[in-house]
Amino acid sequence: MTAFLGREELDKNYETIKISIAYNPVEEIFEVLNAAIQINPLWIPNVENVFSPTFNSYNFVNDYCTKNTGTSPELIAKSIQKLMMIS
């Protein structure tokens, strides 16, 4: 859960690292953030933003659908609601 919330973790050498988790709301899948996902507009590059108290799902869905022509606002809204229920 710490990776979802953007908190740092310790690796096997007890060094602090930050793992960013990406989410594809169309396919409802998670991946560790990488360069390919970072530039792909279908992905939310870091889910910690969704768990922020200032996150506005209405604005997010509108922005997401504008960037990804042909995506269903209803589908994206439902996917984001599911994601938000994880916390």
Side-chain angles (χ1 to χ4, degrees), residues 7-20:
R7 297 196 179 116
E8 295 180 334
E9 300 183 27
L10 295 176
D11 67 7
K12 65 181 179 180
N13 297 320
Y14 299 100
E15 294 180 18
T16 303
I17 59 170
K18 185 174 177 183
I19 299 172
S20 295

PDB file of all heavy atoms in Angstrom, residues 7-20:
ATOM      1  N   ARG A   7       4.735   6.660  -0.737  1.00  0.00           N
ATOM      2  CA  ARG A   7       5.688   6.674   0.373  1.00  0.00           C
ATOM      3  C   ARG A   7       6.942   5.903  -0.014  1.00  0.00           C
ATOM      4  O   ARG A   7       6.905   4.980  -0.821  1.00  0.00           O
ATOM      5  CB  ARG A   7       5.049   6.080   1.610  1.00  0.00           C
ATOM      6  CG  ARG A   7       3.873   6.904   2.064  1.00  0.00           C
ATOM      7  CD  ARG A   7       3.459   6.580   3.479  1.00  0.00           C
ATOM      8  NE  ARG A   7       2.351   7.428   3.857  1.00  0.00           N
ATOM      9  CZ  ARG A   7       1.154   6.968   4.146  1.00  0.00           C
ATOM     10  NH1 ARG A   7       0.897   5.690   4.115  1.00  0.00           N
ATOM     11  NH2 ARG A   7       0.194   7.807   4.489  1.00  0.00           N
ATOM     12  N   GLU A   8       8.037   6.275   0.597  1.00  0.00           N
ATOM     13  CA  GLU A   8       9.305   5.597   0.317  1.00  0.00           C
ATOM     14  C   GLU A   8       9.354   4.270   1.056  1.00  0.00           C
ATOM     15  O   GLU A   8       8.724   4.090   2.098  1.00  0.00           O
ATOM     16  CB  GLU A   8      10.466   6.495   0.723  1.00  0.00           C
ATOM     17  CG  GLU A   8      10.536   7.750  -0.123  1.00  0.00           C
ATOM     18  CD  GLU A   8      11.681   8.657   0.269  1.00  0.00           C
ATOM     19  OE1 GLU A   8      12.117   8.612   1.431  1.00  0.00           O
ATOM     20  OE2 GLU A   8      12.121   9.422  -0.597  1.00  0.00           O
ATOM     21  N   GLU A   9      10.126   3.348   0.488  1.00  0.00           N
ATOM     22  CA  GLU A   9      10.290   2.027   1.070  1.00  0.00           C
ATOM     23  C   GLU A   9      11.771   1.725   1.188  1.00  0.00           C
ATOM     24  O   GLU A   9      12.601   2.408   0.599  1.00  0.00           O
ATOM     25  CB  GLU A   9       9.619   0.981   0.180  1.00  0.00           C
ATOM     26  CG  GLU A   9       8.137   1.221  -0.005  1.00  0.00           C
ATOM     27  CD  GLU A   9       7.476   0.139  -0.840  1.00  0.00           C
ATOM     28  OE1 GLU A   9       7.965  -0.992  -0.864  1.00  0.00           O
ATOM     29  OE2 GLU A   9       6.464   0.452  -1.464  1.00  0.00           O
ATOM     30  N   LEU A  10      12.108   0.667   1.915  1.00  0.00           N
ATOM     31  CA  LEU A  10      13.489   0.239   2.017  1.00  0.00           C
ATOM     32  C   LEU A  10      13.717  -0.957   1.109  1.00  0.00           C
ATOM     33  O   LEU A  10      12.909  -1.882   1.071  1.00  0.00           O
ATOM     34  CB  LEU A  10      13.834  -0.146   3.462  1.00  0.00           C
ATOM     35  CG  LEU A  10      13.792   0.982   4.498  1.00  0.00           C
ATOM     36  CD1 LEU A  10      14.068   0.429   5.882  1.00  0.00           C
ATOM     37  CD2 LEU A  10      14.776   2.074   4.145  1.00  0.00           C
ATOM     38  N   ASP A  11      14.837  -0.944   0.381  1.00  0.00           N
ATOM     39  CA  ASP A  11      15.166  -2.106  -0.440  1.00  0.00           C
ATOM     40  C   ASP A  11      15.959  -3.109   0.398  1.00  0.00           C
ATOM     41  O   ASP A  11      16.122  -2.930   1.609  1.00  0.00           O
ATOM     42  CB  ASP A  11      15.913  -1.679  -1.719  1.00  0.00           C
ATOM     43  CG  ASP A  11      17.298  -1.116  -1.463  1.00  0.00           C
ATOM     44  OD1 ASP A  11      17.787  -1.158  -0.307  1.00  0.00           O
ATOM     45  OD2 ASP A  11      17.905  -0.623  -2.425  1.00  0.00           O
ATOM     46  N   LYS A  12      16.464  -4.161  -0.238  1.00  0.00           N
ATOM     47  CA  LYS A  12      17.152  -5.221   0.511  1.00  0.00           C
ATOM     48  C   LYS A  12      18.450  -4.740   1.160  1.00  0.00           C
ATOM     49  O   LYS A  12      18.948  -5.363   2.080  1.00  0.00           O
ATOM     50  CB  LYS A  12      17.423  -6.416  -0.400  1.00  0.00           C
ATOM     51  CG  LYS A  12      18.373  -6.144  -1.533  1.00  0.00           C
ATOM     52  CD  LYS A  12      18.560  -7.372  -2.392  1.00  0.00           C
ATOM     53  CE  LYS A  12      19.501  -7.051  -3.544  1.00  0.00           C
ATOM     54  NZ  LYS A  12      19.712  -8.210  -4.383  1.00  0.00           N
ATOM     55  N   ASN A  13      18.974  -3.607   0.693  1.00  0.00           N
ATOM     56  CA  ASN A  13      20.188  -3.032   1.282  1.00  0.00           C
ATOM     57  C   ASN A  13      19.855  -1.904   2.263  1.00  0.00           C
ATOM     58  O   ASN A  13      20.727  -1.128   2.630  1.00  0.00           O
ATOM     59  CB  ASN A  13      21.105  -2.500   0.173  1.00  0.00           C
ATOM     60  CG  ASN A  13      21.578  -3.603  -0.747  1.00  0.00           C
ATOM     61  OD1 ASN A  13      21.902  -4.701  -0.309  1.00  0.00           O
ATOM     62  ND2 ASN A  13      21.581  -3.332  -2.037  1.00  0.00           N
ATOM     63  N   TYR A  14      18.602  -1.805   2.631  1.00  0.00           N
ATOM     64  CA  TYR A  14      18.101  -0.795   3.558  1.00  0.00           C
ATOM     65  C   TYR A  14      18.308   0.630   3.040  1.00  0.00           C
ATOM     66  O   TYR A  14      18.457   1.571   3.808  1.00  0.00           O
ATOM     67  CB  TYR A  14      18.730  -0.960   4.947  1.00  0.00           C
ATOM     68  CG  TYR A  14      18.416  -2.301   5.550  1.00  0.00           C
ATOM     69  CD1 TYR A  14      19.335  -3.336   5.511  1.00  0.00           C
ATOM     70  CD2 TYR A  14      17.166  -2.546   6.124  1.00  0.00           C
ATOM     71  CE1 TYR A  14      19.038  -4.589   6.040  1.00  0.00           C
ATOM     72  CE2 TYR A  14      16.856  -3.783   6.657  1.00  0.00           C
ATOM     73  CZ  TYR A  14      17.802  -4.797   6.603  1.00  0.00           C
ATOM     74  OH  TYR A  14      17.487  -6.024   7.120  1.00  0.00           O
ATOM     75  N   GLU A  15      18.271   0.778   1.733  1.00  0.00           N
ATOM     76  CA  GLU A  15      18.330   2.095   1.122  1.00  0.00           C
ATOM     77  C   GLU A  15      16.907   2.522   0.766  1.00  0.00           C
ATOM     78  O   GLU A  15      16.080   1.705   0.382  1.00  0.00           O
ATOM     79  CB  GLU A  15      19.216   2.076  -0.119  1.00  0.00           C
ATOM     80  CG  GLU A  15      20.675   1.800   0.202  1.00  0.00           C
ATOM     81  CD  GLU A  15      21.560   1.790  -1.031  1.00  0.00           C
ATOM     82  OE1 GLU A  15      21.138   2.312  -2.078  1.00  0.00           O
ATOM     83  OE2 GLU A  15      22.663   1.251  -0.931  1.00  0.00           O
ATOM     84  N   THR A  16      16.652   3.794   0.894  1.00  0.00           N
ATOM     85  CA  THR A  16      15.329   4.333   0.621  1.00  0.00           C
ATOM     86  C   THR A  16      15.095   4.426  -0.885  1.00  0.00           C
ATOM     87  O   THR A  16      15.934   4.943  -1.615  1.00  0.00           O
ATOM     88  CB  THR A  16      15.185   5.733   1.242  1.00  0.00           C
ATOM     89  OG1 THR A  16      15.452   5.635   2.639  1.00  0.00           O
ATOM     90  CG2 THR A  16      13.792   6.272   1.035  1.00  0.00           C
ATOM     91  N   ILE A  17      13.969   3.876  -1.323  1.00  0.00           N
ATOM     92  CA  ILE A  17      13.571   3.949  -2.732  1.00  0.00           C
ATOM     93  C   ILE A  17      12.096   4.342  -2.809  1.00  0.00           C
ATOM     94  O   ILE A  17      11.345   4.170  -1.862  1.00  0.00           O
ATOM     95  CB  ILE A  17      13.790   2.615  -3.477  1.00  0.00           C
ATOM     96  CG1 ILE A  17      12.985   1.488  -2.828  1.00  0.00           C
ATOM     97  CG2 ILE A  17      15.255   2.273  -3.570  1.00  0.00           C
ATOM     98  CD1 ILE A  17      12.942   0.211  -3.627  1.00  0.00           C
ATOM     99  N   LYS A  18      11.721   4.888  -3.942  1.00  0.00           N
ATOM    100  CA  LYS A  18      10.317   5.206  -4.164  1.00  0.00           C
ATOM    101  C   LYS A  18       9.856   4.448  -5.403  1.00  0.00           C
ATOM    102  O   LYS A  18      10.444   4.570  -6.464  1.00  0.00           O
ATOM    103  CB  LYS A  18      10.115   6.703  -4.367  1.00  0.00           C
ATOM    104  CG  LYS A  18       8.660   7.085  -4.489  1.00  0.00           C
ATOM    105  CD  LYS A  18       8.476   8.576  -4.553  1.00  0.00           C
ATOM    106  CE  LYS A  18       7.008   8.890  -4.746  1.00  0.00           C
ATOM    107  NZ  LYS A  18       6.771  10.310  -4.891  1.00  0.00           N
ATOM    108  N   ILE A  19       8.818   3.673  -5.246  1.00  0.00           N
ATOM    109  CA  ILE A  19       8.242   2.907  -6.352  1.00  0.00           C
ATOM    110  C   ILE A  19       6.953   3.589  -6.770  1.00  0.00           C
ATOM    111  O   ILE A  19       6.083   3.856  -5.942  1.00  0.00           O
ATOM    112  CB  ILE A  19       7.960   1.455  -5.930  1.00  0.00           C
ATOM    113  CG1 ILE A  19       9.251   0.766  -5.515  1.00  0.00           C
ATOM    114  CG2 ILE A  19       7.254   0.697  -7.042  1.00  0.00           C
ATOM    115  CD1 ILE A  19       9.052  -0.602  -4.900  1.00  0.00           C
ATOM    116  N   SER A  20       6.843   3.891  -8.054  1.00  0.00           N
ATOM    117  CA  SER A  20       5.620   4.501  -8.572  1.00  0.00           C
ATOM    118  C   SER A  20       4.792   3.441  -9.285  1.00  0.00           C
ATOM    119  O   SER A  20       5.314   2.696 -10.118  1.00  0.00           O
ATOM    120  CB  SER A  20       5.956   5.629  -9.551  1.00  0.00           C
ATOM    121  OG  SER A  20       6.609   6.675  -8.879  1.00  0.00           O
TER     122      SER A  20
END
